[in-house]
Amino acid sequence: AQSVTQLGSHVSVSEGALVLLRCNYSSSVPPYLFWYVQYPNQGLQLLLKYTTGATLVKGINGFEAEFKKSETSFHLTKPSAHMSDAAEYFCAVSETGNQFYFGTGTSLTVIP
Amino acid sequence: EPEVTQTPSHQVTQMGQEVILRCVPISNHLYFYWYRQILGQKVEFLVSFYNNEISEKSEIFDDQFSVERPDGSNFTLKIRSTKLEDSAMYFCASKGSTFNTEAFFGQGTRLTVV
């Protein structure tokens, strides 16, 4: 069975500080992994995805994530937080690229 | 940039009424989805639709729900006899092909059942 656990429903960081949003998954086969971001009153926008190949993937807005099979993790990072990064972030897993299983989301607050 | 659009953005309905949530997927996409998110809970898969038929559905998607692509551009979710627990944000998504892994999501319709 596929599932995603996002540790920390709310994360606060200072502007310029490292952003680390945690995601652990379970899957019976090598998964596709995704991070989506949702700004207020907007849809889910893809930040980055891992399908195959290089385990460190880079996405939009300076975010990156590393697929660690041994830890079943796909944590999202950004070296320096910006005020515009404040949003809800969702990790998702899919075995087929068809049905997605989402985590409960992490709300990121950036403190000036 | 092409996007998935959903209407209305917010719908309030009385318990027991039928509602239709509308979505316009990206025009050349072939796979269509509905997801929902009850406040404070996970985004949950409801149904996927391909080639004018349901390809997968979750346990949530019971006889109360139906989907339709009536005119080749719209993709609708109908909820019959709404219940209070149907209150949620409903997201539509579309994907270009079976080889695409990225699904594009709409901004959601917030359904409130009173």
Side-chain angles (χ1 to χ4, degrees):
Chain A
Q2 305 167 69
S3 67
V4 168
T5 301
Q6 289 183 242
L7 292 174
S9 57
H10 293 90
V11 171
S12 294
V13 299
S14 297
E15 191 174 15
L18 171 72
V19 176
L20 170 61
L21 304 183
R22 299 179 185 274
C23 172
N24 288 87
Y25 70 90
S26 67
S27 175
S28 56
V29 301
Y32 302 134
L33 294 161
F34 307 82
W35 276 99
Y36 281 85
V37 61
Q38 185 180 30
Y39 299 103
N41 301 315
Q42 296 188 29
L44 298 169
Q45 179 184 4
L46 183 70
L47 268 182
L48 49 78
K49 63 181 179 182
Y50 169 79
T51 53
T52 59
T55 56
L56 181 63
V57 292
K58 296 185 185 299
I60 62 172
N61 302 336
F63 284 93
E64 61 183 39
E66 187 171 10
F67 168 56
K68 292 187 176 181
K69 184 178 178 182
S70 60
E71 299 177 8
T72 61
S73 69
F74 191 57
H75 301 330
L76 181 71
T77 61
K78 182 174 179 177
S80 176
H82 192 273
M83 295 299 294
S84 61
D85 295 327
E88 189 87 14
Y89 292 80
F90 294 93
C91 182
V93 63
S94 177
E95 292 180 352
T96 62
N98 198 31
Q99 184 175 152
F100 288 63
Y101 291 84
F102 286 85
T104 50
T106 297
S107 177
L108 176 66
T109 300
V110 182
I111 304 166
Chain B
E1 185 176 331
E3 59 181 15
V4 176
T5 58
Q6 291 184 242
T7 55
S9 57
H10 190 190
Q11 172 127 20
V12 180
T13 189
Q14 286 197 323
M15 190 169 55
Q17 296 297 304
E18 174 182 286
V19 295
I20 297 176
L21 309 183
R22 302 180 190 281
C23 168
V24 179
I26 294 173
S27 63
N28 60 347
H29 281 189
L30 302 176
Y31 294 80
F32 313 108
Y33 309 88
W34 282 102
Y35 285 79
R36 80 171 184 191
Q37 184 183 28
I38 295 172
L39 189 63
Q41 299 186 25
K42 296 185 179 187
V43 176
E44 302 171 291
F45 170 79
L46 292 178
V47 64
S48 61
F49 190 87
Y50 170 72
N51 199 27
N52 285 320
E53 61 183 22
I54 292 172
S55 49
E56 285 183 70
K57 61 182 181 179
S58 71
E59 292 176 353
I60 303 167
F61 194 88
D62 59 20
D63 292 342
Q64 183 194 10
F65 295 90
S66 62
V67 289
E68 196 176 34
R69 190 157 159 78
D71 56 12
S73 63
N74 290 284
F75 179 52
T76 62
L77 174 68
K78 183 188 291 185
I79 310 175
R80 286 180 282 275
S81 189
T82 50
K83 299 175 283 197
L84 295 176
E85 53 265 39
D86 295 327
S87 296
M89 180 74 90
Y90 288 81
F91 293 104
C92 174
S94 69
K95 190 173 77 165
S97 74
T98 188
F99 301 107
N100 263 17
T101 51
E102 177 182 352
F104 292 81
F105 285 79
Q107 81 279 17
T109 293
R110 180 164 297 286
L111 175 66
T112 303
V113 182
V114 297

